[in-house]
Amino acid sequence: MRNAPTILHLDMDAFYASVEQASKPSLRGKAVIVGGLGPRGVVATASYEARVFGVHSAMPMAQARRLAPNAAYLVPRFGIYRDISELVMGLLRELSPLVEPLSLDEAFVDLEAGEAAWDEASARLVGAKLRADIRAATGLAGSVGLAASKMLAKIASEEAKPDGLVLIEPGTERAMLGPMSVRTLPGVGPATGDHLRRAGIHTVEEIAEAGEDELVRLLGKAHGHALYAMALAHDERPVVAERETKSVSVEDTYDVDIHDRVRVGLEVQRLADRCVRRLRGAGLSGRTIVLKVRRYDFSTLTRSETLRGPTDDPAVVREAAARLLESVDTTGGVRLLGVGVSGLADYTQEDLFAQAAGERGEAAAGAAGSAAEDGEEEAAAARGETGVSERRWHAGHDVRHVEYGHGWVQGSGVGRVTVRFETPGSEPGRVRTFRVDDPELEAAEPLPLVAGPVGRSGAVGAGGASSVAPG
């Protein structure tokens, strides 16, 4: 471990919820919860005002509604989150070539590698300036931790929340860690924490006192050695600038179990197409097609097939996913479906098999699309919706009205949609209600949080998720 606090960890505070509050003046200072709003949705992010009620990320949305019934519940707008993340990551890369993003709102930076800091004073100045630059560029707050290792820098940023900076001086690490809960250390989740508690170990200092041999006996060789080293504040992991992408995947969780085998097949085809669009967007292809199915009883099955060469052909991926589905029993109902591609490459193998599959698949695509529309009509009818041509308005998403201008959806149902008309720089706006098919109301792109373009924004439909998974 180095002897200067030049590892920086940035964590954007309650990122998704903070973006929504910055976008919507009427929500500032209020409880905001972002996530899937269906019966099986989970909380992605809760604002600090919502956390007062006990709401936290990964909590079932139904439980969050019981704890905070008066909070604002919004569907994520991943397009604007990605745009703001790219802007923030750009600020980090100005500091050092060694930036390790962990998610859209979190990253490590090796300040020494970029000659941005070399001692406590310079590191503190860099951290303070970074926070100011992020606020000026995005209007958002970020918490910064500075320490001599990645583990300690992340702990420092947690201590800095919300909207602060904490620097751990070299030589003070053991004293700082000692009284903290064992759950503070990376890799100590609920199960390991309970195991240690049953052994009478509750704090980091008690881990160190237990000794390495006892930890190996309790947790196994690898985990025991690693945990003992962390308790002594030893962490030699470097900041890794780029992590190779290992897979591209998309998945959907359904509010109501799907029992119809034809509908399941159509959903898999749709997911395969989405996965290929994401694959092509990343300039990649892959050899291994993966199907994920979570059944009614929460059991999760995965099936995979490896092709002769990498492909980004949607017809090939669709056919492989369909073959994989044939080996899965879905009669009890399906809660989640996913399609992924791994074994990635930056080229494709154009062979006769792919070309033939493409010709067959393209011919079938139109029929599949029509059938998918029929499936949506049936699902809408089952939900009791008044018309299958009704537009879906997702809570929190942006709209524009011919007369009233830019606004966002507060809610919709029974053929009506409620919109609050306001912009990031305005006063809290007025609320108006329209028919869901009002021709003067249309979906809109998110507005920048501060003056100047943030970049191209998009939105991901409710209930869906997609990922490019790093190794």
Side-chain angles (χ1 to χ4, degrees):
M1 188 169 67
R2 63 188 74 195
N3 57 10
T6 54
I7 299 295
L8 181 148
H9 181 263
L10 171 71
D11 197 340
M12 300 294 292
D13 298 335
F15 183 49
Y16 296 174
S18 293
V19 171
E20 300 302 339
Q21 288 176 318
S23 297
K24 304 169 173 63
S26 59
L27 297 184
R28 292 170 191 169
K30 298 182 180 179
V32 175
I33 298 169
V34 181
L37 303 189
R40 292 176 181 158
V42 297
V43 175
T45 308
S47 70
Y48 285 97
E49 296 86 354
R51 296 179 192 187
V52 171
F53 298 98
V55 180
H56 57 78
S57 60
M59 172 182 284
M61 192 61 77
Q63 183 180 355
R65 289 186 184 276
R66 290 193 294 270
L67 293 172
N70 297 319
Y73 288 85
L74 307 177
V75 174
R77 297 184 298 155
F78 289 112
I80 191 170
Y81 305 154
R82 282 193 296 267
D83 288 342
I84 294 172
S85 174
E86 289 173 5
L87 194 156
V88 171
M89 295 302 166
L91 292 175
L92 298 183
R93 292 186 179 97
E94 291 177 5
L95 299 175
S96 173
L98 292 183
V99 176
E100 182 178 343
L102 304 179
S103 62
L104 289 177
D105 59 343
E106 185 180 4
F108 287 111
V109 185
D110 187 330
L111 299 177
E112 189 175 18
E115 299 182 351
W118 49 90
D119 59 12
E120 178 185 339
S122 59
R124 192 180 293 276
L125 285 173
V126 168
K129 183 178 185 302
L130 173 64
R131 293 180 61 242
D133 289 346
I134 289 173
R135 187 176 290 279
T138 69
L140 303 177
S143 294
V144 168
L146 292 155
S149 71
K150 290 169 71 172
M151 178 189 76
L152 293 168
K154 183 172 175 61
I155 291 172
S157 70
E158 288 292 325
E159 293 293 304
K161 291 182 179 179
D163 193 16
L165 183 151
V166 168
L167 183 146
I168 300 175
E169 300 178 13
T172 67
E173 297 94 347
R174 289 286 302 278
M176 182 271 298
L177 283 175
M180 291 185 170
S181 165
V182 295
R183 292 290 303 277
T184 302
L185 299 180
V188 181
T192 301
D194 288 345
H195 201 51
L196 293 171
R197 179 179 51 79
R198 288 193 294 271
I201 300 173
H202 301 86
T203 67
V204 175
E205 182 59 32
E206 288 171 346
I207 290 178
E209 291 173 352
E212 191 169 14
D213 291 342
E214 176 64 8
L215 290 171
V216 169
R217 186 186 70 81
L218 288 171
L219 305 174
K221 187 173 181 180
H223 201 179
H225 284 313
L227 199 58
Y228 182 69
M230 288 188 290
L232 299 180
H234 296 161
D235 178 19
E236 301 296 337
R237 293 174 300 159
V239 175
V240 180
E242 298 293 338
R243 294 186 293 171
E244 182 184 0
T245 299
K246 297 296 184 182
S247 65
V248 174
S249 63
V250 297
E251 62 183 40
D252 274 352
T253 300
Y254 303 98
D255 293 342
V256 178
D257 289 350
I258 302 176
H259 293 83
D260 181 7
R261 182 75 176 187
V262 174
R263 172 88 186 280
V264 172
L266 291 171
E267 289 293 317
V268 168
Q269 298 293 289
R270 183 178 59 81
L271 289 166
D273 287 342
R274 275 176 51 198
C275 182
V276 169
R277 286 197 296 270
R278 189 165 178 82
L279 191 73
R280 287 180 167 180
L284 297 170
S285 61
R287 294 184 63 206
T288 301
I289 314 304
V290 181
L291 175 70
K292 177 180 177 182
V293 179
R294 181 168 296 149
R295 299 188 292 188
Y296 69 99
D297 58 358
F298 287 92
S299 62
T300 302
L301 304 175
T302 58
R303 299 288 186 268
S304 63
E305 175 181 318
T306 299
L307 308 174
R308 287 181 290 172
T311 184
D312 64 355
D313 188 318
V316 173
V317 177
R318 281 197 300 263
E319 289 193 357
R323 286 193 297 272
L324 294 170
L325 181 61
E326 292 173 0
S327 66
V328 179
D329 180 9
T330 63
T331 52
V334 171
R335 303 173 64 91
L336 175 148
L337 290 168
V339 174
V341 178
S342 61
L344 301 181
D346 57 2
Y347 65 95
T348 61
Q349 179 170 309
E350 299 292 344
D351 57 18
L352 293 176
F353 167 75
Q355 292 173 17
E359 292 169 1
R360 293 194 304 273
E362 293 304 322
S370 298
E373 292 176 3
D374 292 342
E376 288 300 318
E377 291 182 6
E378 293 173 3
R383 292 192 297 265
E385 294 176 1
T386 57
V388 296
S389 62
E390 282 188 0
R391 288 180 289 175
R392 297 285 300 277
W393 300 103
H394 301 299
H397 281 214
D398 299 82
V399 295
R400 178 169 293 279
H401 189 272
V402 170
E403 180 179 355
Y404 302 110
H406 192 93
W408 58 277
V409 176
Q410 281 200 324
S412 65
V414 293
R416 313 293 287 180
V417 55
T418 301
V419 178
R420 185 180 288 274
F421 291 96
E422 59 187 5
T423 62
S426 74
E427 296 295 319
R430 295 188 62 182
V431 174
R432 298 183 183 274
T433 299
F434 308 91
R435 299 191 320 272
V436 294
D437 58 353
D438 190 318
E440 296 189 337
L441 187 69
E442 63 181 4
E445 293 293 317
L447 297 178
L449 302 187
V450 296
V454 172
R456 183 193 59 79
S457 293
V460 174
S466 60
S467 66
V468 176

